[in-house]
Amino acid sequence: MGLGLFIIMIAVGAILTFASDWELEAIDLDLVGLILMAVGFLGTAVYTSVLRRRRMVVPPVAPTVTDDDRRDLL
């Protein structure tokens, strides 16, 4: 599941909750839309926190200079 899927879930949930006037006897579309938006927001938060941890930059280690390396420079 990528970030795009979570954003699509938020959009579909918002459409079902706020922009549709469909009526179904067995399903409350407003509740389905709210659930989709909640899952989309939660998934986006988890995905970005995992992505932030994965992209942590480790500073480079300074090269170690030995006596032999110094003699080569002279």
Side-chain angles (χ1 to χ4, degrees):
M1 284 193 196
L3 185 61
L5 179 63
F6 295 125
I7 293 173
I8 289 172
M9 289 175 76
I10 294 169
V12 170
I15 290 170
L16 286 177
T17 302
F18 302 117
S20 69
D21 58 353
W22 299 332
E23 295 287 330
L24 296 175
E25 291 181 22
I27 300 172
D28 184 9
L29 290 179
D30 290 337
L31 182 62
V32 172
L34 289 174
I35 291 171
L36 280 174
M37 284 192 297
V39 170
F41 283 125
L42 183 66
T44 302
V46 170
Y47 185 82
T48 55
S49 69
V50 168
L51 186 67
R52 186 178 311 138
R53 258 190 273 144
R54 194 180 324 159
R55 289 188 178 179
M56 189 176 297
V57 177
V58 178
V61 178
T64 306
V65 178
T66 61
D67 289 334
D68 293 334
D69 293 335
R70 288 186 194 160
R71 286 188 192 130
D72 291 338
L73 294 175
L74 297 175

